[in-house]
């Protein structure tokens, strides 16, 4: 299977999070927005429900033989599963039940999201209050637990939606900070040492391998996306906020496209904009067309190499805007396919 074929027909998707706390409504919105066979439906995340539904807590609930609880400073490793871990697992089960209901008979790609090992290590505290990131052994154990937990989670999704080709997305907004030594310690007065790039790459490769031959994506809404590292780690797709791209990243973009990496382009605002940003689907992807021309890439590859998304999750949007934004992503992707130049 070629890298491009793993995303065959996928032209638009969401990042993961949605507003509100109604799992059935979120699943209905996500599956309905991409019902034309060209979108990529995904398992919604609803962080507004509180601790355990947030991105870190949700992923803590996936871990095998590791547990977490909520402190005022954030999530901390526990010796045994407590109320917070049980709540995280319960909400995930509720979300999966809702997705299963609205994907009866579905055949095609289906995306699930989890926090990646390095953002998780930067956010999850050890018992003393410092992040797991400061302890190489803790990072290693955390990545191993996450990998096993993801295997179980992906198997569950495949049982519930047997016609799905499951796509695994790892959310890594802290990755650049980890690589540059910019993650602050508990005191805030210093930062953790930068992690060796080969170790970062190897750990990501191991965790992405939890999806076997299935497609994988790494998402970050932070600036300075390490495109080359993510490609070497085996990510089939890279998801990012298009507005944060700079000229120094353009060469890496061109190499990614020519190497068959799928680009998940965040071009639609993730929160309700002051002006009507959803009035012109073609205008939303104008910058993408311009970039393709500047890089000298074949316009014919534009639609097959890209997936249109919001710039980040939609948790901070109004429910009405979230629905409109996903529908707009699908229309913008169609505009790109119909008129690549």
């Amino acid at each position: 299977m070629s890298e491009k074929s793993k995303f065959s027909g996928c032209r638009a998707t969401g990042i993961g999070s949605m507003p509100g706390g109604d799992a059935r409504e979120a699943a209905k919105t996500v599956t309905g927005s991409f019902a034309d066979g060209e979108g990529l439906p995904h398992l919604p995340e609803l962080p507004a429900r509180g601790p355990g539904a947030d991105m870190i807590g949700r992923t803590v609930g996936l871990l095998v033989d590791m547990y977490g609880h909520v402190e005022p400073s954030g999530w901390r490793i526990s010796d045994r599963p407590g109320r917070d871990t049980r709540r995280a697992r319960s909400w995930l089960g509720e979300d999966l039940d809702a997705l299963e209901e609205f994907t009866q008979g579905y055949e095609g790609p289906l995306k699930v999201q989890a926090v990646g090992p390095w953002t998780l290590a930067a956010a999850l505290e050890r018992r003393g209050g410092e992040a797991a990131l400061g302890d190489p052994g803790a990072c290693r154990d955390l990545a191993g637990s996450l990998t096993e937990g993801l295997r179980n989670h992906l198997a569950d999704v495949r049982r519930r939606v047997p016609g799905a080709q499951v796509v695994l997305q790892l959310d890594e907004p802290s990755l650049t900070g980890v690589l540059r030594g910019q993650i602050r310690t508990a005191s805030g007065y210093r930062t953790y040492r930068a992690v060796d790039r080969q170790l970062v790459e190897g750990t990501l490769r191991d965790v992405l391998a939890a999806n076997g031959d299935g497609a994988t994506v790494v998402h970050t809404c932070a600036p300075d996306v390490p495109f080359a590292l993510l490609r070497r780690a085996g990510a089939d797709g890279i998801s990012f906020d298009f507005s944060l791209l700079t000229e120094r990243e353009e060469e890496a973009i061109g190499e990614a496209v020519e190497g068959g990496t799928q680009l998940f382009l965040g071009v639609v605002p993730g929160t309700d904009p002051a002006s009507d940003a959803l009035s012109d689907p073609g205008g939303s992807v104008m910058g993408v067309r311009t970039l393709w021309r500047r890089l000298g890439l074949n316009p014919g590859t534009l639609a097959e190499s890209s997936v249109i998304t919001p710039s980040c999750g939609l948790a901070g949007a109004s429910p009405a805007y979230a629905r409109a934004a996903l529908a707009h992503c699908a229309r913008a992707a169609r505009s790109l396919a119909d008129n690549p130049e």
Side-chain angles (χ1 to χ4, degrees), residues 4 292 297-305 336-337 340-341:
K4 289 183 181 179
W292 239 249
L297 295 170
N298 179 359
T301 66
L302 188 47
E304 68 185 32
S305 299
L336 206 57
E341 299 188 70

Side-chain angles (χ1 to χ4, degrees), residues 113-136:
Q113 307 83 216
V115 175
W118 294 108
T119 295
L120 191 61
L124 186 58
E125 299 173 357
R126 290 171 284 155
R127 291 171 182 83
E130 292 293 347
L133 185 63
D135 182 336

Side-chain angles (χ1 to χ4, degrees), residues 86-341:
R86 288 194 294 270
R87 185 191 299 121
R89 292 174 176 173
S90 175
W91 271 328
L92 177 60
E94 183 180 312
D95 294 339
L96 287 167
D97 288 344
L99 183 72
E100 184 177 2
E101 177 183 348
F102 287 100
T103 52
Q104 292 294 312
Y106 174 75
E107 295 184 355
L110 176 66
K111 181 166 69 71
V112 299
Q113 307 83 216
V115 175
W118 294 108
T119 295
L120 191 61
L124 186 58
E125 299 173 357
R126 290 171 284 155
R127 291 171 182 83
E130 292 293 347
L133 185 63
D135 182 336
C139 290
R140 186 169 55 250
D141 292 345
L142 190 57
S145 175
L146 175 61
T147 303
E148 187 61 29
L150 285 171
R151 287 196 189 101
N152 296 338
H153 178 47
L154 294 165
D156 186 23
V157 174
R158 290 187 176 100
R159 281 193 296 269
R160 290 169 177 267
V161 193
Q165 292 96 54
V166 182
V167 177
L168 170 62
Q169 174 182 305
L170 295 182
D171 294 321
E172 282 282 16
S174 298
L175 183 59
T176 298
V178 168
L179 290 166
R180 294 184 174 179
Q182 296 171 338
I183 305 299
R184 294 202 170 274
T185 60
S187 69
Y189 292 124
R190 61 184 184 87
T191 59
Y192 294 106
R193 182 178 301 173
V195 181
D196 179 78
R197 296 181 75 88
Q198 287 188 321
L199 177 59
V200 169
E201 179 185 323
T203 302
L204 280 170
R205 182 181 300 111
D206 291 343
V207 178
L208 289 168
N211 202 27
D213 292 333
T216 57
V217 182
V218 177
H219 166 73
T220 175
C221 48
D224 300 318
V225 180
F227 288 98
L229 183 151
L230 294 176
R231 292 178 60 220
R232 290 195 303 270
D236 300 306
I238 301 174
S239 172
F240 56 96
D241 183 342
F242 188 78
S243 71
L244 299 179
L245 278 184
T246 62
E247 284 188 19
R248 66 175 177 271
E249 293 162 294
E250 290 186 358
E251 182 178 351
I253 289 280
E255 290 173 353
V257 171
E258 290 175 348
T261 303
Q262 198 85 2
L263 300 182
F264 286 65
L265 305 168
V267 299
V268 177
T271 55
D272 302 52
S275 59
D276 186 5
L278 307 185
S279 60
D280 180 12
S284 294
V285 290
M286 187 180 303
V288 180
R289 294 189 183 96
T290 301
L291 175 63
W292 239 249
R293 285 196 298 270
R294 195 158 61 238
L295 293 175
L297 295 170
N298 179 359
T301 66
L302 188 47
E304 68 185 32
S305 299
S306 60
V307 177
I308 301 303
T309 76
S311 58
C312 207
L314 293 167
S318 67
Y321 177 77
R323 289 191 295 270
L326 292 180
H328 185 80
C329 286
R331 288 195 299 270
R334 168 53 62 187
S335 169
L336 206 57
D338 291 344
N339 184 22
E341 299 188 70

